[in-house]
Structure formats: C-alpha cells, structure tokens
Amino acid sequence: MFFRAYERKKFLIVDDFDSFVISLKQMLRSMGASDVHSARNGDEAIEACLSRHHDVVFCDYNMGDRKNGQQVLEELRHRKLLRHTDIFCMISAEASSDMVFGALEYSPDAYITKPITRALLANRMDKLIELKDSVLDINKAIDLEDYSKAISLCAKHLRIGSKFKVWLYKTQANLFYMVGDYQHAKKIYNDILKGRDIDWARLGLARVLLAEGNAAEAEAEFEFLLQKNPQLVEAYDLKAEAHRQQKQYKLAQQSLMAATAISPMALTRQRKLAELSVDIGDLEQAMSAYKQAVKLSDKSCLENSDTYLQYAQVIADVTTKKAMETPDDPNLQRDTDLMLKEASQALDRTRRRYAHDPGVVMRAHMAEARNCQVAGKEHRASDALEKAQAVVEKATANPEATLDPIVLLDMAQSLFDIGRNEEGDALLKRLAETNADNPAVLQKINELIEEPVSMKEKLIARERNKNGIQAYEQNRFAEAISYFEEAIAITPLQVGLNLNFIQALVKMASEKPLDKRLVEAGRSSLQALSRIDASDKQYKRFIHLQERFNKVTSSGASA
C-alpha cells in the first residue's frame, strides 16, 4: 500500500555507525525507498539539508563529541530547513531520562529505540506517512504561514470525516491560539474536555487562560495537570509564567527548577532559570543554571555570548558575596580559585567563538578583570583591563569599524565595579562627547554618573531586594518596605527595585493608610522611574503601579 509513497520521498540517515546506516538503508529500500542518503554527523546533516530538501530524516541521538540529535533537530527547525510536511525520527540506544526528555521536548515525529527491526520500522513509518500525506495541504499552509487557510482546511477535513480527528482538533486549536483567536481555541479545548479529560486539551486551555491574563485560573489548571502527570514538563514552564505574571517570582523559580530536574537538557529553560534567579538574588542557583547553560551551548545554534558573560558575572558576584559573608572560611581561597578557573574557561571560549566581534571580546576581557579583582589577582586584573582597552583603541582607530556605545557603557560599569572610578568617569565623558545627539545613551551615562556603585555595594543592594521579595511574598509588607528602602539607599535608580518598593507600598495601603514619610518616599521612587522609556519591558508595570499608588495616596482608599 505504501510502496509508492516511499518511492516518492527523499530520505536522510544521520548516524556515525556505518553498519547501522547500511542496515537501515536496506530496510528502507525493501519498503520501496530509492532515494536514501546518509551523513556521519550533525554538521554533515545540516550541510546535506542545505544542499537539498529531504522529506524524511532519521537521526541518531548520540554521535560522540559532535552535535547530538537534539541539536540537529533544533538547528533544522531554527534555520527552517525542516518543514511541517517533513518527518523527523530520533533514533537512539539511550535510555537515560535526561536524554529521552531532552529529545522529546523538541517534538520529533517519532522516537525509535535501537535495535530496530523491519517490522517495527514499517509499522511506525506507515502510520507517519499516512498522516503526513493525509494532512499535506494543511501543513503546506502552515509552512507558508497562511494560518487562516490552515484553520479552514482543518475544518474541511473534519467535515468530511478524517480518521485523524485528534491531530486536526489539536492543530486547529493551536492555530487559533497562534493568531490570537482565544475564544475559538478555548471552545475546542472545552468541547474535548466535556467528553474526556485529556492532558493536551487541558494544557491548551490553561495556556489560553494565561494568554488572556487569567494567571491565577491558569495556575490552578497547571497544578491540576501536574497532580495527574508530574512529568509534564511544559506545564511547569507555563506555571512558572503564571507565577511571574502574578509577581510570585520565587514560585516561578521553583517551577522552572522542577522542570529542569525532569529535563535538564533544554538550553532556553536553563537560561530563563538563571536570569530569574539573578533577578530574585539567588546567586547560587543562578550560577548552577548558567553553568548548565554554558555546557548546553556547545555546538548549539542557540548559543550566544551573553550566556558566557552573564555566567562570569554571576561567578564574580558569588565570589564577592562569599568573601563578605564567610571571610574566615578555611576553604575560601580554594573555592575562589576554582570559581575563577570556571570563569576564565568560559571567557576564553567566548573570545574564541566571538573573535570577530570586538564588543564581545572587550566585554570578555572586562569580565576577566572583574573576576580576577574579586579573587585578589590584581596583576591579572590589570592585564585583562589593558587588553580590553587595547580592543577599544583598535576598534575606535578604524574609521570603518563601529563599537556600540552600549558596549562602552558596559566597560564603564565594569571599571566602577573594580574600583577604577576615575577611568570610568573619563570613559563616560568621552562617550557623552561622541554621542551628544543620542538621548538614550546620554540618559544611561547620567544614570551611571549618578550611581557609580561598586560590585560589593550592588551585591548588598541585591541581597536586601531579595529579602524584601521574600518578606512581600509572606505578606510581611512593613518588613519588605524596610528592606527595599535599604536597597534603594545604595542603588536609587534601579528600576526593578523601585517598582518592588511601590508595589509593597500599594499592598500596605490596602491594610492601613500610608504615613507621610512613606508617601514621599514612594513619590521619590516614581520620580526616579519616570525616565523609563515606553519600549522598556518594565514600562507597563510602572504605569500600572503608578496609577495604583496615586489612587491610594490621593484618596486614602484601600488598594
């Protein structure tokens, strides 16, 4: 029945074992395939898909020290070399849950465990080809990003009585969600759930509720799902977003930690966990997540320089924090040297990978200087600083080269971090002269001039902010306000900190009117926040809290 279907398709086998490739080719040819190519590793697979289109890709998960199958699938999707009309089958002898969950998160069409028999292969492939051929017109429309047409085609297939109803309902609901038609998406999910409680429908419904801004209701749905299926990783991700929308940042972190415990191989999730952990002041967890993100970045198309640079920054922060909190620890110097080694390795890799980008190279040298300074290696810190300055001089001496002023602002901040305030001031002065017509840069220069705090001072402010968040989440608003005020005294222009302070004031006003001092302190914070640009990710939160604060302080009413 499917002989001609195999005959029409182009196959690619990606595996580093010749014997397996030969065996799989023989099986496919016996099933009707005639156009079967192979690649020995992930890089060859990407090149093969760049040179010609393949309808079906079989890819081994573990290919030694080269790209793994998860990274191949990730890159094919990222570069749009794999269409919705195509089939991607992950093949592996791996049985560890980390690798299996990691591979399945990228939703291959099939995950087949070695050894493979012809009967098993034919059974899986026949079903996949029948499905793909049956809904070919829908997937073509999706590939063309004609989602309205794809939605109409789903409805058409359902009217004529397709045997793939589940796929059609699931796809149509997701398409409605993608185009922002939440009502129709919700109707499909609710109709499915009336007949049977199915995980994908409940997850979809909760995702729609979250998109509509009903974070608390969505959170309850995710919690219900996870009680039934504690391994449903996507539900943890979305639950974290529900917590984030409700400003429950510690709970959001816990949800992401639960997801990474089940499936630790997802780079984007590790980065989200690291960034959130920095925001709430949990530097140890941030360092752990960034370390894993750095590891996963190797050979990934999602690699970026910020992952390495932020990892080095967090290491410097942790080193400083330990020196402040446990100066008499007999293992302090040993731990400091080990962390400096970790940072240096990450920064060496950054300079190699991004040697073509002087901005990244400069930032890597400055990060090296910060880490060496806090580790007590002043000679190495000076050497790294000189290298950073040499990169800047070389870039600015070339009339054809341009160095982003934001990169130079980062250098100025780094100079303040390591106590080189005079050099930082001089750099800001030059920046102001060369960017006189750039208001955004001038604003950031003014902020740095007004708040040139050291790394140690920033860490103290961050710790106070962390304590304030914890107190706020436990409804101890007066205590939270006290912590936020201590932090603001150190870094009065920090946006997130001032917003946290205003939010705590609004909450306290729901219990009793604010005294005159707190009202004035709140107004001072709002004044500091007034410089936020409308494009800033915190702008909506600022406007919302400003309106609420003004309401409770002008009327004396509860928040």
Side-chain angles (χ1 to χ4, degrees):
M1 175 182 177
F2 294 100
F3 195 88
R4 289 190 179 278
Y6 284 92
E7 195 174 39
R8 291 193 301 268
K9 296 192 183 298
K10 300 180 183 69
F11 293 80
L12 176 66
I13 303 170
V14 189
D15 200 292
D16 53 349
F17 280 95
D18 292 338
S19 58
F20 177 77
V21 172
I22 292 168
S23 173
L24 189 55
K25 279 184 177 180
Q26 289 174 343
M27 291 184 208
L28 289 170
R29 284 174 177 149
S30 73
M31 292 155 61
S34 58
D35 190 341
V36 186
H37 287 72
S38 63
R40 290 184 56 81
N41 56 60
D43 293 321
E44 286 186 14
I46 301 299
E47 287 301 317
C49 291
L50 281 167
S51 62
R52 73 196 295 258
H53 173 251
H54 294 86
D55 303 292
V56 183
V57 178
F58 293 95
C59 187
D60 187 34
Y61 182 89
N62 191 344
M63 290 178 280
D65 59 356
R66 310 298 288 266
K67 285 182 190 291
N68 62 39
Q70 176 181 322
Q71 291 171 326
V72 172
L73 175 56
E74 172 187 86
E75 187 161 350
L76 289 177
R77 290 244 173 88
H78 183 71
R79 299 175 70 168
K80 297 187 177 179
L81 297 173
L82 190 70
R83 304 170 186 170
H84 286 81
T85 54
D86 300 333
I87 295 172
F88 188 99
C89 295
M90 192 76 75
I91 297 175
S92 181
E94 299 289 345
S96 76
S97 61
D98 288 1
M99 292 186 176
V100 172
F101 272 106
L104 292 179
E105 277 205 73
Y106 285 85
S107 301
D109 294 287
Y111 186 94
I112 305 175
T113 306
K114 294 178 181 178
I116 300 171
T117 64
R118 186 191 182 284
L120 171 66
L121 181 66
N123 180 52
R124 299 292 294 277
M125 289 306 299
D126 287 355
K127 291 177 181 177
L128 280 171
I129 288 174
E130 183 183 10
L131 167 62
K132 289 285 185 173
D133 286 353
S134 176
V135 298
L136 183 65
D137 53 348
I138 299 171
N139 279 327
K140 279 184 176 179
I142 295 173
D143 283 328
L144 293 170
E145 298 184 3
D146 190 347
Y147 302 129
S148 296
K149 182 179 179 181
I151 288 169
S152 298
L153 287 170
C154 285
K156 179 183 175 183
H157 280 251
L158 287 165
R159 282 196 304 271
I160 62 177
S162 169
K163 66 184 286 187
F164 300 108
K165 282 185 177 180
V166 172
W167 186 93
L168 289 165
Y169 280 126
K170 196 173 182 179
T171 301
Q172 188 181 47
N174 187 57
L175 287 166
F176 277 128
Y177 172 83
M178 288 172 63
V179 301
D181 188 346
Y182 300 137
Q183 287 304 113
H184 280 97
K186 196 188 296 185
K187 184 178 186 309
I188 292 172
Y189 293 132
N190 279 323
D191 287 347
I192 295 291
L193 291 169
K194 284 176 186 175
R196 186 178 167 195
D197 192 0
I198 299 175
D199 284 355
W200 66 260
R202 189 165 295 281
L203 184 69
L205 176 62
R207 187 174 60 160
V208 170
L209 291 169
L210 188 60
E212 290 179 326
N214 299 318
E217 193 177 348
E219 180 197 340
E221 292 288 352
F222 294 132
E223 190 61 44
F224 178 78
L225 263 172
L226 289 167
Q227 287 176 1
K228 284 177 54 189
N229 185 356
Q231 302 293 96
L232 194 57
V233 178
E234 189 180 356
Y236 287 107
D237 288 332
L238 292 168
K239 187 183 174 194
E241 177 58 22
H243 286 307
R244 191 195 65 77
Q245 287 189 16
Q246 297 174 84
K247 311 296 186 291
Q248 299 166 337
Y249 301 115
K250 188 65 180 177
L251 292 175
Q253 182 200 40
Q254 289 170 4
S255 289
L256 288 176
M257 288 172 66
T260 56
I262 298 167
S263 180
M265 308 295 282
L267 171 57
T268 53
R269 182 182 298 116
Q270 292 286 359
R271 278 203 289 242
K272 280 184 181 178
L273 174 57
E275 290 164 4
L276 178 59
S277 297
V278 168
D279 288 343
I280 65 173
D282 189 345
L283 296 177
E284 294 287 348
Q285 181 58 55
M287 186 167 70
S288 175
Y290 269 128
K291 183 174 184 176
Q292 184 69 3
V294 163
K295 180 180 176 182
L296 294 172
S297 292
D298 188 33
K299 303 178 187 68
S300 170
C301 66
L302 301 180
E303 176 187 47
N304 65 45
S305 60
D306 279 345
T307 301
Y308 300 108
L309 294 168
Q310 291 300 321
Y311 179 43
Q313 176 64 60
V314 169
I315 288 176
D317 290 347
V318 170
T319 303
T320 303
K321 186 169 182 257
K322 284 189 173 184
M324 290 166 54
E325 294 178 350
T326 56
D328 299 325
D329 183 351
N331 296 319
L332 180 62
Q333 190 58 52
R334 183 202 65 186
D335 293 344
T336 297
D337 290 343
L338 286 172
M339 286 193 287
L340 177 59
K341 183 179 179 181
E342 285 273 342
S344 296
Q345 288 174 344
L347 294 168
D348 283 343
R349 188 163 148 189
T350 309
R351 288 187 285 265
R352 288 196 306 271
R353 298 288 180 93
Y354 299 93
H356 61 283
D357 188 331
V360 172
V361 174
M362 185 282 293
R363 291 175 67 200
H365 284 309
M366 289 306 303
E368 187 91 42
R370 279 195 299 268
N371 276 275
C372 290
Q373 183 79 14
V374 300
K377 314 292 184 183
E378 293 187 7
H379 178 74
R380 285 179 60 185
S382 296
D383 184 55
L385 177 59
E386 287 174 11
K387 288 177 180 177
Q389 291 170 329
V391 171
V392 172
E393 288 170 10
K394 183 178 179 181
T396 52
N398 182 357
E400 295 182 2
T402 57
L403 204 58
D404 189 336
I406 301 300
V407 171
L408 295 175
L409 284 167
D410 183 67
M411 183 175 186
Q413 178 63 72
S414 297
L415 288 167
F416 292 131
D417 283 346
I418 62 176
R420 304 279 190 114
N421 289 26
E422 288 186 10
E423 292 171 73
D425 287 335
L427 177 56
L428 290 179
K429 184 179 178 181
R430 291 200 304 273
L431 266 173
E433 291 170 354
T434 55
N435 292 274
D437 58 347
N438 190 330
V441 172
L442 292 176
Q443 178 182 319
K444 290 184 180 296
I445 290 171
N446 287 333
E447 289 173 3
L448 274 177
I449 290 171
E450 293 171 21
E451 195 175 276
V453 296
S454 69
M455 187 183 300
K456 184 178 288 187
E457 290 172 314
K458 283 195 293 185
L459 278 175
I460 294 170
R462 188 179 290 168
E463 188 68 19
R464 298 294 183 274
N465 186 42
K466 176 185 175 182
N467 294 337
I469 290 171
Q470 290 174 342
Y472 177 89
E473 290 181 345
Q474 295 168 10
N475 297 324
R476 304 196 315 270
F477 303 125
E479 185 180 340
I481 286 168
S482 178
Y483 279 124
F484 292 140
E485 285 194 290
E486 287 180 32
I488 287 171
I490 302 168
T491 55
L493 301 178
Q494 214 282 326
V495 173
L497 174 56
N498 278 284
L499 288 172
N500 290 343
F501 179 52
I502 297 296
Q503 186 169 324
L505 289 175
V506 170
K507 275 290 187 181
M508 176 175 265
S510 69
E511 298 181 348
K512 62 179 181 179
L514 300 176
D515 62 38
K516 185 176 179 180
R517 187 193 71 79
L518 287 178
V519 171
E520 288 304 315
R523 286 174 181 160
S524 295
S525 278
L526 288 174
Q527 182 61 37
L529 291 165
S530 63
R531 66 184 74 195
I532 298 178
D533 189 82
S535 61
D536 193 290
K537 65 180 181 180
Q538 297 270 35
Y539 184 74
K540 287 184 179 179
R541 184 184 176 203
F542 162 58
I543 294 298
H544 172 69
L545 288 173
Q546 183 181 48
E547 290 174 354
R548 294 191 66 194
F549 180 83
N550 288 338
K551 181 179 178 181
V552 298
T553 55
S554 63
S555 65
S558 295

